[in-house]
Amino acid sequence: LDVPRYAGESPAEVDLRVSALLEQAVARRLENNPEPAALLSGGIDSTLICQIAARQLAARGQRLRVYSL
């Protein structure tokens, strides 16, 4: 995070900003991807990204294929 940019914002405001940035980043990665898939490692980061992607794809009538080792 760019700390000075978030100075003066409440934790709730920062949460909303970071959530919006994550949503946008995932949406960009899903663009023009006919069969999206993800590798789920079991950590919180891949779980969060897969959850966002699955929700966005469900809104379009698609499903996320998830693989785990």
Side-chain angles (χ1 to χ4, degrees):
L1 294 176
D2 184 1
V3 177
R5 191 166 88 178
Y6 296 102
E9 292 185 11
S10 71
E13 290 170 322
V14 173
D15 181 50
L16 288 174
R17 186 189 299 254
V18 171
S19 294
L21 290 170
L22 278 170
E23 292 280 346
Q24 291 172 9
V26 171
R28 286 184 187 147
R29 293 334 177 262
L30 294 176
E31 289 176 2
N32 303 318
N33 191 339
E35 295 184 35
L39 178 62
L40 184 59
S41 68
I44 192 156
D45 54 346
S46 65
T47 302
L48 175 64
I49 299 302
C50 287
Q51 187 273 334
I52 293 170
R55 186 170 18 94
Q56 290 182 3
L57 290 168
R60 301 187 322 206
Q62 291 181 284
R63 294 184 67 173
L64 178 66
R65 291 191 175 141
V66 180
Y67 300 92
S68 181
L69 302 175

